[in-house]
Amino acid sequence: MYDAACLSDPVLLQRAVGDLRVGVKRYEDRTVLDDLRQAGCLKARFPKRVLSGWMDVVTLNTGGGVAAGDRLDVAVSAAPCCQVTVSAQAAERFYRALDSDAPSRVRTALSLGAAAALEWLPQETILFDRCALERRLEIDMAADARFLGVETLVFGRTAMGETVRRAMLRDLIQVRRDGALLLHDAIRLDGAVDGLLARAAIGKGALALATLVYVAPNAERLLDPLRQALGPAEAGASAWNGMLIARILGPDSAFVRRTAIAALDVLRESRPLPRVWLC
């Protein structure tokens, strides 16, 4: 006799849920922690300061990757005049989903007060074959705030011989400045991803891409130096209305990472990258 569930019942796989809230404020000439909430698999660490006036926040997912049905929510708020850089301990992996699985859902909300500066610098997002992901990055910033963000998508690890043939991806970056919509950048790939990326108008054979967004009152002045930093890469950059956007395509994550680092060096005016980027 069995006193547990019936053996014919469907197996319900355990799903990970993470909720991370970080708030920072200005105290004298420093940016300091004001609020912190950690729940589930998402955590934050605060390494020793590298630059005076700037605070570093490093996020980590103790789940070791993201499976279909997982739900991750991150919110970071920077009070007026704060300076904060948010990075990730390692690249995030999104694993294969079953046909019956709900997609993994990732939501990130960033808010910047008057004259605040916030940098969103996670490491790569690595997509596995047949993964399913819905992700949103929403930035709400004051008119005189400064935001710098980078998001990198990697379609399989080429060094491991991986190929992403099919996947479902909904990826959105949305920026609002002083309440007005400034940017709505959406990527939607569904089905035979390898064939889509091979098309000249979509990926031109690229297996990795990075999107950089820089919003600041003087963003346009960095357009020419940024284009020089992009070098011979399959990349483009434009600037208008206090916003600069660049897209980088490459055959693998290593190439795109090197190009993105060169671009970040321009946009961050040669300030050192977070230490996790150098590991």
Side-chain angles (χ1 to χ4, degrees):
M1 177 181 292
Y2 294 99
D3 58 1
C6 176
L7 294 180
S8 62
D9 288 345
V11 177
L12 298 179
L13 302 177
Q14 184 177 6
R15 302 305 182 192
V17 177
D19 188 12
L20 176 63
R21 314 281 166 170
V22 179
V24 298
K25 65 180 181 180
R26 191 74 173 179
Y27 177 74
E28 296 179 348
D29 62 344
R30 295 179 295 151
T31 297
V32 299
L33 186 64
D34 185 42
D35 181 50
L36 175 63
R37 181 180 187 274
Q38 305 175 107
C41 61
L42 290 180
K43 310 295 179 186
R45 296 294 181 263
F46 306 91
K48 184 179 178 180
R49 296 174 187 272
V50 177
L51 293 175
S52 176
W54 283 84
M55 182 176 186
D56 288 314
V57 179
V58 177
T59 65
L60 60 146
N61 177 10
T62 60
V66 183
D70 290 355
R71 301 191 310 277
L72 307 180
D73 292 277
V74 177
V76 181
S77 60
C81 300
C82 288
Q83 296 176 309
V84 59
T85 298
V86 183
S87 55
Q89 183 190 38
E92 192 65 274
R93 295 165 176 81
F94 289 85
Y95 298 118
R96 176 178 177 174
L98 300 177
D99 292 339
S100 58
D101 287 339
S104 41
R105 191 204 71 186
V106 180
R107 299 287 185 268
T108 303
L110 310 175
S111 63
L112 294 75
L118 190 153
E119 297 177 334
W120 175 252
L121 305 179
Q123 299 193 62
E124 293 85 356
T125 294
I126 301 175
L127 305 176
F128 282 65
D129 190 34
R130 296 185 178 273
C131 68
L133 167 62
E134 293 180 353
R135 187 172 67 168
R136 295 176 67 96
L137 171 60
E138 298 175 312
I139 302 100
D140 190 355
M141 57 190 297
D144 59 348
R146 289 180 294 136
F147 170 76
L148 172 61
V150 60
E151 286 286 0
T152 303
L153 296 171
V154 179
F155 295 86
R157 298 172 297 182
T158 56
M160 304 293 291
E162 297 170 354
T163 301
V164 177
R165 293 182 173 84
R166 300 189 65 82
M168 191 282 281
L169 172 66
R170 306 284 188 273
D171 198 22
L172 173 65
I173 301 175
Q174 191 174 82
V175 180
R176 293 184 182 275
R177 185 174 59 192
D178 205 19
L181 182 63
L182 184 65
L183 174 68
H184 185 94
D185 183 67
I187 295 176
R188 177 175 177 174
L189 296 173
D190 200 352
V193 169
D194 55 348
L196 293 172
L197 290 175
R199 293 169 58 180
I202 298 179
K204 202 176 180 180
L207 297 178
L209 67 91
T211 302
L212 291 92
V213 180
Y214 179 59
V215 183
N218 59 352
E220 289 91 343
R221 72 179 178 85
L222 295 177
L223 178 59
D224 288 340
L226 176 63
R227 285 175 170 170
Q228 293 178 15
L230 294 175
E234 187 71 31
S238 299
W240 71 99
N241 195 21
M243 178 174 62
L244 189 156
I245 298 179
R247 190 97 76 191
I248 305 166
L249 302 177
D252 54 49
S253 61
F255 177 87
V256 170
R257 184 184 181 92
R258 287 193 301 270
T259 308
I261 288 175
L264 289 172
D265 187 61
V266 171
L267 299 177
R268 304 179 78 241
E269 299 181 339
S270 299
R271 285 183 289 115
L273 283 168
R275 293 173 181 172
V276 290
W277 273 67
L278 308 177
C279 296

